[in-house]
Amino acid sequence: ENMKSRTKIGLLRVYFHIDEAQSLKQKRQVMRSIKDRLSNQFNVAVSEIADQDLWQRLTLGICCISNEPKHANQVLSSVVSFVEAERRDLELLDYGTEIINGV
């Protein structure tokens, strides 16, 4: 079977409120901390994808690649659980996941 057809891309979009942030600099520190932690812990790519100019709003796009959609879902689900448990300073407003067939 062609390897391309088995590759799955898991996408997670997460929306946070950062009550403590009083500046874009503080928000960027929080974002950098989360990005480093998630990248190291879960081997995912993390990027701020919206609301860059809002101090207390953080919207992240998180991506993983897997051969199995179930595995991709598990990784992204673990990311959400981890952030909720470890980052009490963030309020999780909403999130959504999507699994895309590799190109």
Side-chain angles (χ1 to χ4, degrees), residues 29-52:
Q29 288 172 334
V30 169
M31 197 273 298
R32 226 177 351 264
S33 169
I34 293 170
K35 182 179 178 177
D36 292 346
R37 199 79 193 274
L38 294 177
S39 296
N40 292 335
Q41 184 104 8
F42 298 100
N43 196 25
V44 292
V46 182
S47 183
E48 186 175 11
I49 57 173
D51 303 318
Q52 284 91 340

mmCIF file of all heavy atoms in Angstrom, residues 29-52:
data_model
loop_
_atom_site.group_PDB
_atom_site.id
_atom_site.type_symbol
_atom_site.label_atom_id
_atom_site.label_comp_id
_atom_site.label_asym_id
_atom_site.label_seq_id
_atom_site.Cartn_x
_atom_site.Cartn_y
_atom_site.Cartn_z
ATOM 1 N N GLN A 29 5.332 35.207 26.487
ATOM 2 C CA GLN A 29 6.050 34.339 27.432
ATOM 3 C C GLN A 29 5.242 33.088 27.728
ATOM 4 O O GLN A 29 5.777 31.971 27.736
ATOM 5 C CB GLN A 29 6.350 35.091 28.737
ATOM 6 C CG GLN A 29 7.413 36.141 28.588
ATOM 7 C CD GLN A 29 7.568 37.000 29.842
ATOM 8 O OE1 GLN A 29 6.638 37.156 30.636
ATOM 9 N NE2 GLN A 29 8.749 37.568 30.013
ATOM 10 N N VAL A 30 3.950 33.256 27.943
ATOM 11 C CA VAL A 30 3.059 32.115 28.181
ATOM 12 C C VAL A 30 3.048 31.205 26.956
ATOM 13 O O VAL A 30 3.173 29.989 27.062
ATOM 14 C CB VAL A 30 1.625 32.600 28.521
ATOM 15 C CG1 VAL A 30 0.637 31.437 28.516
ATOM 16 C CG2 VAL A 30 1.606 33.320 29.854
ATOM 17 N N MET A 31 2.896 31.804 25.783
ATOM 18 C CA MET A 31 2.840 31.035 24.536
ATOM 19 C C MET A 31 4.123 30.239 24.318
ATOM 20 O O MET A 31 4.082 29.059 23.994
ATOM 21 C CB MET A 31 2.592 31.985 23.354
ATOM 22 C CG MET A 31 2.112 31.286 22.101
ATOM 23 S SD MET A 31 3.386 30.658 20.994
ATOM 24 C CE MET A 31 4.203 32.137 20.542
ATOM 25 N N ARG A 32 5.263 30.882 24.537
ATOM 26 C CA ARG A 32 6.550 30.204 24.352
ATOM 27 C C ARG A 32 6.691 29.022 25.308
ATOM 28 O O ARG A 32 7.146 27.943 24.936
ATOM 29 C CB ARG A 32 7.695 31.199 24.544
ATOM 30 C CG ARG A 32 8.757 31.095 23.477
ATOM 31 C CD ARG A 32 9.893 32.098 23.574
ATOM 32 N NE ARG A 32 9.781 33.188 24.523
ATOM 33 C CZ ARG A 32 9.352 34.416 24.226
ATOM 34 N NH1 ARG A 32 8.966 34.706 23.009
ATOM 35 N NH2 ARG A 32 9.318 35.355 25.145
ATOM 36 N N SER A 33 6.280 29.226 26.547
ATOM 37 C CA SER A 33 6.348 28.178 27.556
ATOM 38 C C SER A 33 5.485 26.969 27.156
ATOM 39 O O SER A 33 5.932 25.823 27.224
ATOM 40 C CB SER A 33 5.891 28.741 28.902
ATOM 41 O OG SER A 33 5.708 27.713 29.831
ATOM 42 N N ILE A 34 4.262 27.238 26.730
ATOM 43 C CA ILE A 34 3.363 26.154 26.316
ATOM 44 C C ILE A 34 3.916 25.455 25.082
ATOM 45 O O ILE A 34 3.935 24.225 25.005
ATOM 46 C CB ILE A 34 1.960 26.704 26.002
ATOM 47 C CG1 ILE A 34 1.307 27.209 27.276
ATOM 48 C CG2 ILE A 34 1.092 25.656 25.330
ATOM 49 C CD1 ILE A 34 0.040 27.971 27.033
ATOM 50 N N LYS A 35 4.366 26.228 24.125
ATOM 51 C CA LYS A 35 4.898 25.667 22.880
ATOM 52 C C LYS A 35 6.074 24.727 23.161
ATOM 53 O O LYS A 35 6.106 23.598 22.655
ATOM 54 C CB LYS A 35 5.330 26.811 21.960
ATOM 55 C CG LYS A 35 5.850 26.369 20.623
ATOM 56 C CD LYS A 35 6.219 27.577 19.782
ATOM 57 C CE LYS A 35 6.788 27.151 18.466
ATOM 58 N NZ LYS A 35 7.105 28.267 17.593
ATOM 59 N N ASP A 36 7.028 25.182 23.973
ATOM 60 C CA ASP A 36 8.196 24.351 24.294
ATOM 61 C C ASP A 36 7.785 23.077 25.021
ATOM 62 O O ASP A 36 8.259 21.988 24.713
ATOM 63 C CB ASP A 36 9.199 25.137 25.145
ATOM 64 C CG ASP A 36 9.855 26.269 24.375
ATOM 65 O OD1 ASP A 36 9.740 26.300 23.130
ATOM 66 O OD2 ASP A 36 10.470 27.145 25.015
ATOM 67 N N ARG A 37 6.900 23.224 25.990
ATOM 68 C CA ARG A 37 6.468 22.087 26.797
ATOM 69 C C ARG A 37 5.761 21.042 25.945
ATOM 70 O O ARG A 37 6.030 19.843 26.051
ATOM 71 C CB ARG A 37 5.549 22.634 27.879
ATOM 72 C CG ARG A 37 5.323 21.798 29.050
ATOM 73 C CD ARG A 37 6.492 21.852 30.052
ATOM 74 N NE ARG A 37 6.306 20.774 30.987
ATOM 75 C CZ ARG A 37 5.574 20.847 32.081
ATOM 76 N NH1 ARG A 37 5.028 21.987 32.417
ATOM 77 N NH2 ARG A 37 5.409 19.794 32.837
ATOM 78 N N LEU A 38 4.823 21.485 25.093
ATOM 79 C CA LEU A 38 4.068 20.547 24.258
ATOM 80 C C LEU A 38 4.950 19.888 23.207
ATOM 81 O O LEU A 38 4.824 18.692 22.944
ATOM 82 C CB LEU A 38 2.879 21.252 23.603
ATOM 83 C CG LEU A 38 1.782 21.739 24.545
ATOM 84 C CD1 LEU A 38 0.701 22.474 23.773
ATOM 85 C CD2 LEU A 38 1.193 20.592 25.346
ATOM 86 N N SER A 39 5.838 20.672 22.615
ATOM 87 C CA SER A 39 6.753 20.119 21.606
ATOM 88 C C SER A 39 7.613 19.021 22.214
ATOM 89 O O SER A 39 7.791 17.953 21.611
ATOM 90 C CB SER A 39 7.647 21.215 21.030
ATOM 91 O OG SER A 39 6.879 22.158 20.339
ATOM 92 N N ASN A 40 8.146 19.272 23.408
ATOM 93 C CA ASN A 40 9.013 18.289 24.066
ATOM 94 C C ASN A 40 8.249 17.069 24.552
ATOM 95 O O ASN A 40 8.713 15.944 24.411
ATOM 96 C CB ASN A 40 9.754 18.938 25.237
ATOM 97 C CG ASN A 40 10.769 19.954 24.774
ATOM 98 O OD1 ASN A 40 11.270 19.891 23.656
ATOM 99 N ND2 ASN A 40 11.051 20.917 25.623
ATOM 100 N N GLN A 41 7.101 17.296 25.145
ATOM 101 C CA GLN A 41 6.340 16.209 25.770
ATOM 102 C C GLN A 41 5.633 15.309 24.753
ATOM 103 O O GLN A 41 5.566 14.104 24.926
ATOM 104 C CB GLN A 41 5.308 16.809 26.721
ATOM 105 C CG GLN A 41 4.520 15.797 27.506
ATOM 106 C CD GLN A 41 4.986 15.714 28.932
ATOM 107 O OE1 GLN A 41 5.790 16.509 29.379
ATOM 108 N NE2 GLN A 41 4.474 14.744 29.647
ATOM 109 N N PHE A 42 5.088 15.910 23.684
ATOM 110 C CA PHE A 42 4.227 15.162 22.769
ATOM 111 C C PHE A 42 4.745 15.094 21.331
ATOM 112 O O PHE A 42 4.091 14.502 20.475
ATOM 113 C CB PHE A 42 2.818 15.768 22.761
ATOM 114 C CG PHE A 42 2.150 15.703 24.097
ATOM 115 C CD1 PHE A 42 2.106 16.809 24.926
ATOM 116 C CD2 PHE A 42 1.558 14.526 24.537
ATOM 117 C CE1 PHE A 42 1.491 16.762 26.166
ATOM 118 C CE2 PHE A 42 0.936 14.460 25.778
ATOM 119 C CZ PHE A 42 0.904 15.577 26.591
ATOM 120 N N ASN A 43 5.887 15.716 21.062
ATOM 121 C CA ASN A 43 6.440 15.723 19.712
ATOM 122 C C ASN A 43 5.425 16.252 18.686
ATOM 123 O O ASN A 43 5.177 15.626 17.664
ATOM 124 C CB ASN A 43 6.940 14.328 19.332
ATOM 125 C CG ASN A 43 7.864 14.366 18.136
ATOM 126 O OD1 ASN A 43 8.493 15.385 17.866
ATOM 127 N ND2 ASN A 43 7.933 13.267 17.411
ATOM 128 N N VAL A 44 4.838 17.404 19.001
ATOM 129 C CA VAL A 44 3.874 18.048 18.114
ATOM 130 C C VAL A 44 4.420 19.405 17.681
ATOM 131 O O VAL A 44 5.298 19.962 18.326
ATOM 132 C CB VAL A 44 2.502 18.247 18.816
ATOM 133 C CG1 VAL A 44 1.816 16.917 19.068
ATOM 134 C CG2 VAL A 44 2.633 19.044 20.102
ATOM 135 N N ALA A 45 3.889 19.909 16.589
ATOM 136 C CA ALA A 45 4.211 21.265 16.143
ATOM 137 C C ALA A 45 3.154 22.204 16.721
ATOM 138 O O ALA A 45 1.964 21.885 16.704
ATOM 139 C CB ALA A 45 4.208 21.331 14.622
ATOM 140 N N VAL A 46 3.594 23.353 17.238
ATOM 141 C CA VAL A 46 2.688 24.302 17.890
ATOM 142 C C VAL A 46 2.941 25.693 17.326
ATOM 143 O O VAL A 46 4.090 26.121 17.210
ATOM 144 C CB VAL A 46 2.928 24.336 19.422
ATOM 145 C CG1 VAL A 46 1.951 25.290 20.092
ATOM 146 C CG2 VAL A 46 2.839 22.941 20.024
ATOM 147 N N SER A 47 1.856 26.396 16.998
ATOM 148 C CA SER A 47 1.996 27.756 16.493
ATOM 149 C C SER A 47 0.799 28.594 16.923
ATOM 150 O O SER A 47 -0.328 28.085 17.002
ATOM 151 C CB SER A 47 2.079 27.716 14.965
ATOM 152 O OG SER A 47 2.281 29.006 14.454
ATOM 153 N N GLU A 48 1.048 29.868 17.183
ATOM 154 C CA GLU A 48 -0.059 30.793 17.425
ATOM 155 C C GLU A 48 -0.669 31.115 16.071
ATOM 156 O O GLU A 48 0.033 31.536 15.151
ATOM 157 C CB GLU A 48 0.449 32.061 18.115
ATOM 158 C CG GLU A 48 -0.665 32.991 18.507
ATOM 159 C CD GLU A 48 -0.198 34.208 19.293
ATOM 160 O OE1 GLU A 48 1.029 34.450 19.373
ATOM 161 O OE2 GLU A 48 -1.071 34.909 19.811
ATOM 162 N N ILE A 49 -1.981 30.909 15.941
ATOM 163 C CA ILE A 49 -2.583 31.014 14.606
ATOM 164 C C ILE A 49 -3.618 32.135 14.474
ATOM 165 O O ILE A 49 -4.125 32.359 13.372
ATOM 166 C CB ILE A 49 -3.220 29.677 14.175
ATOM 167 C CG1 ILE A 49 -4.258 29.213 15.192
ATOM 168 C CG2 ILE A 49 -2.143 28.627 13.964
ATOM 169 C CD1 ILE A 49 -5.046 27.998 14.745
ATOM 170 N N ALA A 50 -3.925 32.819 15.565
ATOM 171 C CA ALA A 50 -4.889 33.928 15.480
ATOM 172 C C ALA A 50 -4.751 34.789 16.729
ATOM 173 O O ALA A 50 -4.077 34.408 17.686
ATOM 174 C CB ALA A 50 -6.314 33.392 15.357
ATOM 175 N N ASP A 51 -5.404 35.926 16.712
ATOM 176 C CA ASP A 51 -5.485 36.814 17.879
ATOM 177 C C ASP A 51 -4.121 37.285 18.382
ATOM 178 O O ASP A 51 -3.957 37.548 19.570
ATOM 179 C CB ASP A 51 -6.242 36.129 19.034
ATOM 180 C CG ASP A 51 -7.637 35.687 18.633
ATOM 181 O OD1 ASP A 51 -8.313 36.473 17.935
ATOM 182 O OD2 ASP A 51 -8.046 34.580 19.005
ATOM 183 N N GLN A 52 -3.158 37.426 17.480
ATOM 184 C CA GLN A 52 -1.803 37.823 17.884
ATOM 185 C C GLN A 52 -1.761 39.175 18.586
ATOM 186 O O GLN A 52 -0.884 39.419 19.391
ATOM 187 C CB GLN A 52 -0.850 37.839 16.677
ATOM 188 C CG GLN A 52 -0.423 36.472 16.226
ATOM 189 C CD GLN A 52 -1.330 35.871 15.162
ATOM 190 O OE1 GLN A 52 -2.463 36.274 14.996
ATOM 191 N NE2 GLN A 52 -0.828 34.882 14.449
#
